[in-house]
Every structure is written in structure tokens, then in C-alpha cells.
């Protein structure tokens, strides 16, 4: 009879321990993935307004803020400012005005720029590109 209670006690203890480990692992993982706004701002670079012609003979005036994964990546991105602007102008010059209209067009631009800028980067990667201003005419 005592062996049964010992086995039940051990199983209950194992269940409590495994549940606690699962809970704390999940909480810690969520905390690691969620950045505070101050942390995000420490890892962002603003790209001043760019005005360029599109392939459709329209033009766009657009600004970006780029979020990177680390402070070292931010330092590199700041140094590569002229290369990033060049990539942006080249990418925009191949697009039609209709390509940039609406949410879907903006998301495609952001994705394309993320891939191209990441190809440039040696230290870290781009996490997100935000369009902070956009006028299409």
C-alpha cells in the first residue's frame, strides 16, 4: 500500500515539475521575443525622404525607418546609408505607380527592400522596414 502512494506522489511531483517547466519556458520565450519600444528605437535607422521617378513616369516621395536585429547592425546600416538609398531608388525606378498602391503593394516593396538590404549587410539583418511617409503622384 505504501508503494502505491509513493508512486502516485512521484508521478504527481513529476507532473507539477513538467507543467512548471513548460509554463516558464513559454513565458521566457515570449519575453525574449517581445522588445520594448525603447529597445526597438535603439535598433532603428531613419532614411530621409527620397523623391524619385517611377517606371510609369509618375514619381514618389517616400521615407522609411529600418529596424535591425542589433546595435552593431545599426552601426553598419548607418554607414551604408548611401548604398541603401541607392537600392531604394533602383527598386522604385523599376516599379509602376499601380505596383505601389494599397497595402499589398507597400508590403511587396518592404519585402523586396528587406531582401536586397540584407544581401548588403555583413553584421546582422533587417527585422522590419516601416514606410513612414509616402506621396505618390
Amino acid at each position: 500500500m505504501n508503494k502505491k502512494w509513493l508512486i502516485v506522489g512521484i508521478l504527481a511531483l513529476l507532473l507539477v515539475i513538467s507543467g512548471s517547466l513548460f509554463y516558464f519556458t513559454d513565458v521566457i520565450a515570449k519575453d525574449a521575443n517581445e522588445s520594448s519600444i525603447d529597445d526597438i528605437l535603439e535598433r532603428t535607422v531613419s532614411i530621409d525622404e527620397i523623391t524619385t521617378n517611377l517606371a510609369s513616369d509618375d514619381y514618389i516621395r517616400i521615407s522609411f525607418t529600418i529596424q535591425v536585429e542589433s546595435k552593431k547592425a545599426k552601426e553598419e546600416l548607418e554607414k551604408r546609408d548611401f548604398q541603401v538609398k541607392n537600392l531604394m531608388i533602383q527598386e522604385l525606378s523599376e516599379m509602376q505607380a499601380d505596383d505601389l498602391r494599397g497595402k499589398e503593394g507597400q508590403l511587396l516593396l518592404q519585402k523586396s527592400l528587406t531582401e536586397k538590404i540584407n544581401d548588403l549587410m555583413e553584421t546582422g539583418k533587417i527585422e522590419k522596414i516601416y514606410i513612414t511617409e509616402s506621396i505618390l503622384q
Side-chain angles (χ1 to χ4, degrees):
M1 186 76 162
N2 287 338
K3 286 184 182 182
K4 271 187 183 179
W5 286 110
L6 181 62
I7 291 172
V8 169
I10 291 172
L11 289 174
L13 183 61
L14 287 174
L15 183 63
V16 168
I17 290 172
S18 64
S20 297
L21 284 174
F22 177 78
Y23 173 77
F24 286 113
T25 303
D26 189 46
V27 168
I28 290 169
K30 283 182 183 176
D31 286 345
N33 290 332
E34 294 177 7
S35 298
S36 72
I37 190 64
D38 292 329
D39 181 48
I40 291 171
L41 289 174
E42 288 179 1
R43 298 179 290 113
T44 60
V45 175
S46 294
I47 303 296
D48 294 333
E49 184 178 278
I50 295 172
T51 303
T52 191
N53 293 323
L54 302 174
S56 59
D57 290 329
D58 297 289
Y59 75 91
I60 189 165
R61 185 175 301 149
I62 192 165
S63 300
F64 299 94
T65 296
I66 302 174
Q67 178 183 333
V68 294
E69 66 183 8
S70 68
K71 290 180 184 179
K72 286 189 177 199
K74 177 182 177 176
E75 291 171 11
E76 180 184 356
L77 186 62
E78 289 171 336
K79 291 176 184 176
R80 293 184 180 277
D81 178 66
F82 68 99
Q83 293 172 316
V84 170
K85 287 179 181 178
N86 183 60
L87 277 174
M88 291 174 167
I89 290 169
Q90 288 176 348
E91 189 68 20
L92 289 165
S93 71
E94 294 291 318
M95 301 181 83
Q96 303 287 324
D98 288 341
D99 297 337
L100 294 165
R101 294 191 201 285
K103 180 179 178 179
E104 187 176 315
Q106 291 178 357
L107 290 173
L108 287 173
L109 175 63
Q110 289 167 314
K111 181 180 178 186
S112 174
L113 289 174
T114 298
E115 291 170 2
K116 290 182 187 315
I117 297 169
N118 275 335
D119 288 344
L120 270 180
M121 298 289 288
E122 295 175 3
T123 306
K125 296 290 179 194
I126 305 299
E127 288 185 340
K128 185 157 178 69
I129 295 180
Y130 300 91
I131 297 173
T132 55
E133 184 179 343
S134 175
I135 299 172
L136 180 63
Q137 292 186 333

